[in-house]
Each structure stands twice: as C-alpha cells, then as structure tokens.
Amino acid sequence: MNKKYLVAVLEWSFVLFTAFNMCIYGSTKYVQFGNISQYKRPLFSYDGMSLMWAFYAYSKSYSTILGLFEILGALLLLVPKTRIIGCIVLSSILINIIMQDYFYGVHRGAMANAVFYQLLVIGVLWF
C-alpha cells in the first residue's frame, strides 16, 4: 500500500461517512421538529433550544427544504466532479447549524456532531 492509496481510502471514508449521515439528518427534518401547536406558552417562557425548535416547527416547508439541501449536498459529495459544490452546500448548512446550536444553547452533543461533520467536509476539501 502506498501513500496515494491510503489518502484515497481516507478521502472516501470521509465522503461516505459524511454523505450517509447527512442523508439521514436530511430525511428526518420533516418530523424532527414536531408541530407548532405543541408550543402553547408565551415565547419569553421558552429556553433558546425550544424557541429555535418552535421556529422550525412553524414551517414544515422550511425544515423540509433544509433537509432536501442536506441530501442534495450529500449526493453532490459522492460524485468526484461535483464534490466541491457538495462541500459548499454542506458547509453553508453546517455552519448555520453550528451558529444556531451555539447561540440558542442547543445540547453540546448536537453542536459537536455539526462541528465534526464540518471538519470532515474541510478534510474532503483538503484531499
């Protein structure tokens, strides 16, 4: 095994792992945030994470489109000729998720996952 082969294996590992997980995240967006009718208290009484989830629950169309872009980015990542575009699509989504997780106080595990996937996307770009 030479260095070029190992780099290719590592790149494809990053690509396949990231694409698979982003497809999972994207395909669950429609049901992930529930329904806006479950938020009955005044807005100021919610913590940041609940407020953000209420925002996404308000518009199923918005969260569904976001999920479709996650899936699109994952599919573009799988094709070597469109990989850079896939990285750009996924990076724009992941950076937004990271910022929302930080500013709205979402569980650290969720933010750690988004940071991890963003680092993998950067790794793919590096290869």
Side-chain angles (χ1 to χ4, degrees), residues 1-14 126-127:
M1 291 197 301
N2 60 22
K3 184 179 177 181
K4 188 174 184 177
Y5 176 76
L6 290 175
V7 168
V9 167
L10 191 59
E11 177 185 6
W12 274 102
S13 298
F14 283 16
W126 183 74
F127 289 121

Coordinates of all heavy atoms in Angstrom, one line a residue, residues 1-14 126-127:
M1 N 0.9 -1.2 0.0 CA 0.0 0.0 0.0 C 0.9 1.2 0.0 O 1.8 1.4 0.8 CB -0.9 0.0 1.2 CG -1.9 -1.1 1.2 SD -3.3 -0.8 2.4 CE -2.5 -0.7 3.9
N2 N 0.6 2.1 -0.9 CA 1.4 3.3 -1.0 C 0.6 4.5 -0.4 O -0.6 4.4 -0.1 CB 1.8 3.6 -2.4 CG 0.7 3.8 -3.4 OD1 -0.5 4.1 -2.9 ND2 0.9 3.6 -4.7
K3 N 1.2 5.6 -0.3 CA 0.6 6.8 0.3 C -0.6 7.3 -0.5 O -1.6 7.7 0.1 CB 1.6 7.9 0.4 CG 1.1 9.2 1.1 CD 2.2 10.2 1.2 CE 1.7 11.5 1.8 NZ 2.7 12.5 1.9
K4 N -0.6 7.3 -1.8 CA -1.7 7.7 -2.6 C -2.9 6.9 -2.4 O -4.1 7.4 -2.3 CB -1.3 7.7 -4.1 CG -2.3 8.3 -5.0 CD -1.7 8.3 -6.4 CE -2.7 9.1 -7.3 NZ -2.2 9.2 -8.7
Y5 N -2.7 5.6 -2.2 CA -3.9 4.7 -1.9 C -4.5 5.0 -0.6 O -5.7 5.0 -0.4 CB -3.4 3.2 -2.0 CG -4.4 2.2 -1.6 CD1 -5.5 1.9 -2.5 CD2 -4.4 1.6 -0.4 CE1 -6.4 1.0 -2.1 CE2 -5.4 0.7 0.0 CZ -6.4 0.4 -0.9 OH -7.4 -0.5 -0.5
L6 N -3.6 5.2 0.4 CA -4.1 5.5 1.8 C -4.9 6.8 1.8 O -5.9 6.9 2.5 CB -3.0 5.5 2.8 CG -2.3 4.1 3.1 CD1 -1.1 4.3 4.0 CD2 -3.3 3.2 3.7
V7 N -4.4 7.8 1.1 CA -5.1 9.1 1.0 C -6.5 8.9 0.4 O -7.5 9.5 0.8 CB -4.2 10.1 0.3 CG1 -5.0 11.4 0.0 CG2 -3.0 10.5 1.1
A8 N -6.5 8.1 -0.7 CA -7.8 7.9 -1.4 C -8.8 7.1 -0.5 O -10.0 7.5 -0.4 CB -7.6 7.1 -2.7
V9 N -8.3 6.2 0.3 CA -9.2 5.4 1.2 C -9.7 6.4 2.3 O -10.9 6.4 2.6 CB -8.4 4.2 1.8 CG1 -9.2 3.7 3.0 CG2 -8.2 3.2 0.8
L10 N -8.8 7.2 2.8 CA -9.2 8.2 3.8 C -10.2 9.2 3.3 O -11.3 9.4 4.0 CB -8.0 8.9 4.4 CG -8.2 9.7 5.7 CD1 -8.7 8.8 6.8 CD2 -6.9 10.4 6.1
E11 N -10.0 9.7 2.1 CA -10.9 10.6 1.5 C -12.3 10.0 1.3 O -13.3 10.6 1.7 CB -10.4 11.1 0.2 CG -11.4 12.0 -0.6 CD -10.9 12.5 -2.0 OE1 -9.9 11.9 -2.4 OE2 -11.6 13.3 -2.6
W12 N -12.4 8.8 0.7 CA -13.6 8.1 0.5 C -14.3 7.7 1.8 O -15.5 7.8 1.9 CB -13.5 6.9 -0.4 CG -13.5 7.3 -1.8 CD1 -12.4 7.5 -2.7 CD2 -14.7 7.7 -2.6 NE1 -12.9 7.9 -3.9 CE2 -14.2 8.0 -3.9 CE3 -16.0 7.7 -2.3 CZ2 -15.1 8.4 -4.9 CZ3 -16.9 8.1 -3.3 CH2 -16.5 8.5 -4.5
S13 N -13.5 7.5 2.8 CA -14.1 7.2 4.2 C -14.8 8.4 4.7 O -16.0 8.4 5.2 CB -13.1 6.8 5.2 OG -12.4 5.6 4.8
F14 N -14.2 9.6 4.6 CA -14.8 10.9 5.0 C -16.0 11.1 4.2 O -17.1 11.5 4.7 CB -13.8 12.0 4.8 CG -12.7 12.1 5.8 CD1 -12.4 11.1 6.7 CD2 -12.0 13.3 5.9 CE1 -11.4 11.2 7.6 CE2 -11.0 13.5 6.8 CZ -10.7 12.4 7.7
W126 N -9.6 19.4 1.6 CA -8.2 19.3 1.7 C -7.6 18.2 0.8 O -6.6 18.4 0.1 CB -7.7 19.1 3.2 CG -6.2 19.1 3.3 CD1 -5.4 20.1 3.3 CD2 -5.4 17.9 3.5 NE1 -4.1 19.7 3.5 CE2 -4.1 18.3 3.6 CE3 -5.7 16.5 3.7 CZ2 -3.1 17.5 3.8 CZ3 -4.6 15.7 3.9 CH2 -3.3 16.1 4.0
F127 N -8.3 17.1 0.7 CA -7.8 16.0 -0.2 C -7.9 16.4 -1.6 O -7.2 16.0 -2.5 CB -8.6 14.7 0.1 CG -8.3 14.1 1.4 CD1 -9.4 13.9 2.3 CD2 -7.1 13.7 1.7 CE1 -9.1 13.3 3.5 CE2 -6.8 13.1 2.9 CZ -7.8 12.9 3.8

